[in-house]
Amino acid sequence: MSTNTTPAATVEVTAKDCNDNGTVFCPNPKMALWSNHPKVFIDLTHDGQGQCPYCGTAYKLKAGEVVGSHH
């Protein structure tokens, strides 16, 4: 029995990619329609990163980017 150890994708985003409240949504517009799941918002204001609970895609702010209360 083998296990899948392939890491989920990581998407680097800029502050401009975020909504006014410091969130991004997944699935993002670049994802294929066949792989869609319900839209979820991922908060990047706490530590500049977050992960989708459905597909495991990680979102993180590019170095030097700031949103919300992230400093």
Side-chain angles (χ1 to χ4, degrees), residues 1-70:
M1 183 170 153
S2 64
T3 58
N4 183 1
T5 58
T6 304
T10 298
V11 178
E12 282 193 325
V13 297
T14 65
K16 286 184 177 183
D17 296 326
C18 294
N19 297 309
D20 290 342
N21 61 356
T23 63
V24 293
F25 62 86
C26 189
N28 66 58
K30 295 180 182 176
M31 292 180 162
L33 284 177
W34 63 264
S35 66
N36 277 349
H37 54 67
K39 182 186 276 189
V40 292
F41 290 88
I42 298 156
D43 186 357
L44 303 181
T45 61
H46 298 291
D47 60 3
Q49 60 187 3
Q51 188 171 14
C52 176
Y54 286 100
C55 67
T57 299
Y59 292 86
K60 70 176 194 173
L61 289 173
K62 288 185 178 182
E65 293 288 322
V66 176
V67 296
S69 62
H70 177 73

